[in-house]
């Protein structure tokens, strides 16, 4: 009977995933493409949100699993995936773009576009730890809006490397001094008791 239930779940199951835009754009298509080769009838539901929202969705059962950045609440089961460096983003013709690496205090002198939402303030926290205060002109949780505004020459920013894969925007991308990063994980309440389709899905994460 258990085997029959397992077969049924893997032929008509649903996986609900909490995610943020860069993972949804650059990781999930590759993972799902490989997963579908073996389990073509599984359906998917993506909920896009910020880290705080995704964490709550996992805890409350609205999603089966979700992509987050450390730290997360200790009662969640996490699988470490990747260290994702933050990089400086400048207009292609900006004078600072001539340097191989950008000092953060130099970015503070330019109009700055901040990637931030509610309690998700990684970049602001990093500046604060370094004792720096950027000249913030624009705040949004839409990373592609920031890229478009930087391309227009209206400011500079910091964005994670993952966001910057295959971007259509004409911007200069440089490493920073000092550097900092985010640690991306997949989180769920308990992988041992997760639905079988979700447990199988975890095996395909390396295909990202």
């Amino acid at each position: 009977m258990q085997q029959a239930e397992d077969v049924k779940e893997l032929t008509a199951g649903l996986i609900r995933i909490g995610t943020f835009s860069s993972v949804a754009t650059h990781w999930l298509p590759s993972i799902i493409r490989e997963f579908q080769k073996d389990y073509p009838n599984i359906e998917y539901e993506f909920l896009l949100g910020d880290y705080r929202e995704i964490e709550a969705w996992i805890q409350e059962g609205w999603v089966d699993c979700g992509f987050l950045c450390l730290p997360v609440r200790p009662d969640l089961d996490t699988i470490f995936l990747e260290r994702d460096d933050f990089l400086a983003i400048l207009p292609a013709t900006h004078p600072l773009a001539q340097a191989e690496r950008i000092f953060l205090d130099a970015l503070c002198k330019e109009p700055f576009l901040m990637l931030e939402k509610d309690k998700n303030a990684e970049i602001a926290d990093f500046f604060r730890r370094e004792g720096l205060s950027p000249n913030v002109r624009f705040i949004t949780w839409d990373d592609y809006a920031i890229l478009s505004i930087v391309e227009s020459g209206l400011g500079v920013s910091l964005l994670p490397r993952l966001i910057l894969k295959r971007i259509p925007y004409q911007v200069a991308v440089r490493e920073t001094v000092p550097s900092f990063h985010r640690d991306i994980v997949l989180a769920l309440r308990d992988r041992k008791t997760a639905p079988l389709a979700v447990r199988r899905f975890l095996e395909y994460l390396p295909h990202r």
Side-chain angles (χ1 to χ4, degrees), residues 87-89 104 106-116 123-124 127 133-139 146 149-150 154-159 180:
L87 302 174
I89 313 301
L104 287 179
L107 289 181
C108 291
K109 300 174 184 177
E110 304 292 328
F112 194 85
L113 312 176
M114 183 68 74
L115 184 68
E116 181 177 323
I123 297 173
F127 275 115
S133 298
N135 179 22
V136 178
R137 297 289 183 85
F138 186 79
I139 299 175
I146 286 180
I149 295 171
V150 170
L154 298 177
V156 302
S157 190
L158 289 168
L159 290 176
F180 72 112

Side-chain angles (χ1 to χ4, degrees), residues 76-147:
L76 292 181
D77 197 351
T78 60
I79 301 169
F80 177 80
L81 297 177
E82 196 164 303
R83 169 178 169 167
D84 191 19
D85 294 318
F86 281 84
L87 302 174
I89 313 301
L90 310 99
T93 58
H94 196 285
L96 289 176
Q98 304 303 315
E100 291 185 5
R101 295 192 291 177
I102 308 298
F103 285 87
L104 287 179
D105 56 353
L107 289 181
C108 291
K109 300 174 184 177
E110 304 292 328
F112 194 85
L113 312 176
M114 183 68 74
L115 184 68
E116 181 177 323
K117 181 180 179 182
D118 298 334
K119 296 180 181 179
N120 297 286
E122 296 166 297
I123 297 173
D125 290 342
F126 180 73
F127 275 115
R128 195 174 299 113
R129 291 196 302 270
E130 293 297 316
L132 298 172
S133 298
N135 179 22
V136 178
R137 297 289 183 85
F138 186 79
I139 299 175
T140 181
W141 190 240
D142 187 335
D143 32 47
Y144 297 106
I146 286 180
L147 283 164

Side-chain angles (χ1 to χ4, degrees), residues 37-57:
K37 291 178 182 178
D38 296 322
Y39 307 105
N41 296 318
I42 296 293
E43 297 181 356
Y44 310 89
E45 181 179 337
F46 296 159
L47 275 71
L48 268 67
D50 59 43
Y51 307 147
R52 179 182 56 80
E53 291 169 332
I54 296 169
E55 192 174 59
W57 294 338

Side-chain angles (χ1 to χ4, degrees), residues 6 14 16 22 43 56-57 60 65 71-72 88 98 115 120 126 133 135 142 145 151 155-156 161 163 192 207:
D6 290 348
L14 171 67
R16 301 165 301 164
S22 54
E43 297 181 356
W57 294 338
E60 295 167 5
C65 58
V72 302
Q98 304 303 315
L115 184 68
N120 297 286
F126 180 73
S133 298
N135 179 22
D142 187 335
E151 182 184 49
V156 302
R161 188 186 299 273
I163 292 171
K192 294 180 180 178
H207 290 288

Side-chain angles (χ1 to χ4, degrees), residues 22-33:
S22 54
V23 166
T25 301
H26 300 299
W27 282 2
L28 281 175
S30 299
I31 296 170
I32 290 173
R33 183 177 60 247

